[in-house]
Amino acid sequence: MKSKLPRAKRIGIYGGTFDPIHYGHLLLAESARQQMNLDLVLFVPAGIPPHKRDWVLAPEEDRVAMLELAIAGNSAFQVERFEVDSSEVSYTVHTVEYVQNQYPDAELFLLLGEDMLRAFPNWYQPQRICELAPPLVIGRAGREIEDLEFLSTVASPKRMKEIKKSRIHMIQVAYSSSEIRDCVAAGKSIRYQTPPEVIAYIEAKKLYRKKRGRKKKGEA
C-alpha cells in the first residue's frame, strides 16, 4: 500500500470490484472529491465481496493493477489494498474501521451510487458504517435520489441531516463494467470507456476473452 497522506483530513472511501475500472468510476470519485472538498479518495477493490461470492472475478492483482494505471497522476486518488490482502469476506464496516485506524484524525465518507445505496440498510452493520463514514449519495447516471428516508432505520437523525446535504451532482454517464467485459468477449472496441492504459493491460493480459458469470458447482 502507498504511504499515508498525513494532511488528509477529509477522506472518501470508494469500494467496488472494479472489474474493470471505467470512466464512470473515475468521474464519480472526482465529482465527490471536488464537491465535498475531499483531500483523498481511497479506491478499495473488493477481495471477496459478500454480494458476489459466487461470481468469477478477474484476479485481484489484475484489478489492482488496472486501478493503479487508471488513477496514475492524480495525487488525490489512492488504491487501498486492505480487502484484497485479506482472506476474509470483504465487509465494508471492517474496511471503514481499518481506514479510521490509519487516519484517526480524518473525517471519513463512504461513496455510494444509488444502486448500492438502496441495499445499504441490509448490509452488515450499517449503523456502525453510518457512525464512522456517512454515505455520500450519488444518483445513478446523475439522477438525484428524491427520498432518502429509507436510511433513517440505520442512521441517526444527525447523520440523516448530513447525508441529505451530501448529495453529489455528476454529469450523466452510463458506463458499465459488465458491458465492457461483454464487449471484450465479443471482440468489440472498448475505446473511450476506460483509460487507454487499462485497455492496453486488458489486451496484454488477455482478460475478459470469455463471458463470465457464477461459479460452477464445486468450483473454488
Side-chain angles (χ1 to χ4, degrees), residues 23 65-66 69-70 72 194-203:
Y23 282 128
M66 288 186 285
L69 289 168
T194 188
E197 296 82 0
V198 174
I199 295 175
Y201 187 93
I202 290 172
E203 292 175 348

Side-chain angles (χ1 to χ4, degrees), residues 31 55 91 94 102 108 118 132 140 150 166 171 179 197-198:
S31 298
W55 286 83
Y91 287 112
H94 298 152
Q102 294 296 302
L108 306 182
R118 293 294 178 183
L132 298 176
R140 188 173 181 83
F150 67 94
S166 302
I171 298 171
E179 289 180 4
E197 296 82 0
V198 174

Side-chain angles (χ1 to χ4, degrees), residues 184-197:
V184 174
K188 298 179 180 179
S189 171
I190 57 172
R191 196 175 185 183
Y192 307 124
Q193 297 185 60
T194 188
E197 296 82 0

Side-chain angles (χ1 to χ4, degrees), residues 17-22 25 175-182:
T17 53
F18 301 113
D19 191 25
I21 186 169
H22 53 64
H25 295 132
Y175 293 106
S176 164
S177 292
S178 62
E179 289 180 4
I180 290 175
R181 296 194 302 268
D182 288 345

Side-chain angles (χ1 to χ4, degrees), residues 32-159:
R33 183 203 66 77
Q34 183 173 350
Q35 294 174 40
M36 293 299 295
N37 297 313
L38 302 179
D39 301 300
L40 180 64
V41 175
L42 294 176
F43 287 76
V44 186
I48 308 173
H51 62 295
K52 293 185 178 179
R53 287 189 231 196
D54 296 331
W55 286 83
V56 180
L57 301 177
E60 294 166 356
E61 291 306 321
D62 287 326
R63 290 186 285 120
V64 169
M66 288 186 285
L67 265 173
E68 294 281 9
L69 289 168
I71 68 174
N74 189 331
S75 60
F77 287 178
Q78 183 172 310
V79 175
E80 170 54 64
R81 295 183 54 101
F82 173 72
E83 293 188 7
V84 297
D85 287 341
S86 173
S87 59
E88 304 296 328
V89 172
S90 301
Y91 287 112
T92 299
V93 65
H94 298 152
T95 302
V96 171
E97 289 174 341
Y98 171 81
V99 174
Q100 183 195 45
N101 288 332
Q102 294 296 302
Y103 300 87
D105 298 324
E107 188 174 4
L108 306 182
F109 302 90
L110 185 67
L111 276 59
L112 285 180
E114 180 182 1
D115 51 345
M116 298 299 292
L117 186 70
R118 293 294 178 183
F120 179 74
N122 297 320
W123 286 16
Y124 181 61
Q125 295 188 11
Q127 294 92 343
R128 176 66 171 161
I129 297 173
C130 283
E131 176 186 340
L132 298 176
L136 292 184
V137 180
I138 304 99
R140 188 173 181 83
R143 293 194 305 272
E144 186 171 288
I145 304 170
E146 297 297 332
D147 184 10
L148 295 173
E149 286 303 321
F150 67 94
L151 292 176
S152 62
T153 59
V154 297
S156 67
K158 178 182 177 181
R159 280 301 193 215

